[in-house]
Amino acid sequence: MTDPDTVAETVTETTLDEAGDLVTVFVPARDESGFIGACLGSVRAQDHRNMQIVVVVDGGSRDNTAEQVAAMAAEDPRIELLRNDRGGIPVSLNMAVAAARGRWLVRVDAHSTVPADYVSTAVALLREGEWGGVGGRKDGRGVTPVGRAIAAALASPFGVGGSVYHHGTERQEVDHIPFGAYPTALVRELGGWDENLVANEDFEFDHRVRLAGHKLLFDPAMTISWHSRQTIRDLFLQYRRYGRGKVAVALLHPRSMRPRHLMVPAFVAYLAGALLVALRRPSAGAALVAPYAVAVAAASARTARDLAAGERKYVASAFLAMHLGWGIGFWQGVGDEAVARLRGGAR
């Protein structure tokens, strides 16, 4: 998180009257050469034409993402390319906020595409004045058999629990939105995103929005087609990163934790105990794990109904990768913090 006064000093001086209906769409990107073209193509096709499109390319990118963005910027003056030499998503987000000239900020993920009315729908909702932020449903997309199984698992409450934005079908107030849209003034007032976080910076920001007395809206009319992970290994690593980063957010905001956030870490601890039991008494260990195995089988059968035969077999592995990745990552985060404190202070 940056100092709000510092943000105010570095932004382009644009009054609300001057901003009018200008919307700043911002896209953080790193190694996105395979996706940035489709992403920006969907943004450029928005029916809300008055846009500033800020793309912040991480300096650690090893591909030609920046070159692709520069080529599109030469064709479309609405596109602006910034380079983040410090690295990290929160830094990129704050750089975009500092450069924003619009009254509204709409984040679009470089791995995604959005329909033509996405920005106009977000702005219409924000104009109601009731919401501090709005977001839509994040629909996973796979391009391989494994990827399509992963996308299906991501749309299952069994896989993602209370993350409404993965599977919700009704407009409702929530505690977190994906790739949110916010009033620019509010983001600056709150100091932007916390640059000390390596994951979960979006959840932490949304928590501060709510602490400041604002509400967040999930509206499934806003849909995000998001290119999900395409291998079980990558999915596991993604969720391990999420779980590991959750600990830092929990230490910053203990009251942000909900029972659902602790269910998976508790379950992983339970599985570890079952494994220890199984070393001495295999049948007893198997009995301890059996309820979860039955639940995975039942959820996999439900989730796989609309998948092709060659895709169904990967659904159970996707559920396992998500649950074990998040739980193991959480306990790794706890260990990281414990070691840091023993060495003389929390990070």
Side-chain angles (χ1 to χ4, degrees), residues 7 19 28 30-31 37-38 71 85 89 104 116 118-119 121 126 140 154 179 189 193 221 231 265 293:
V7 172
R30 175 172 178 169
D31 291 332
D85 293 327
I89 292 176
W104 316 105
Y118 186 84
V119 169
T121 301
L126 289 172
L154 287 168
F179 316 132
E189 176 187 329
W193 285 264
T231 69

Side-chain angles (χ1 to χ4, degrees), residues 44 52 67 72 75 81 87 178 189 210 276 295 311 334 345:
R44 295 170 69 183
Q52 172 198 19
E67 288 75 13
M72 284 182 276
E75 302 171 352
L81 171 63
E189 176 187 329
R210 296 172 64 241
L276 291 176
E311 299 162 357
V334 170

Side-chain angles (χ1 to χ4, degrees), residues 1-11 94 97-98 187-195 208:
M1 183 171 59
T2 56
D3 187 319
D5 293 334
T6 301
V7 172
E9 290 173 1
T10 58
V11 298
N94 288 336
V97 173
V187 176
R188 288 175 176 162
E189 176 187 329
L190 296 177
W193 285 264
D194 191 330
E195 297 178 1
R208 282 189 283 118

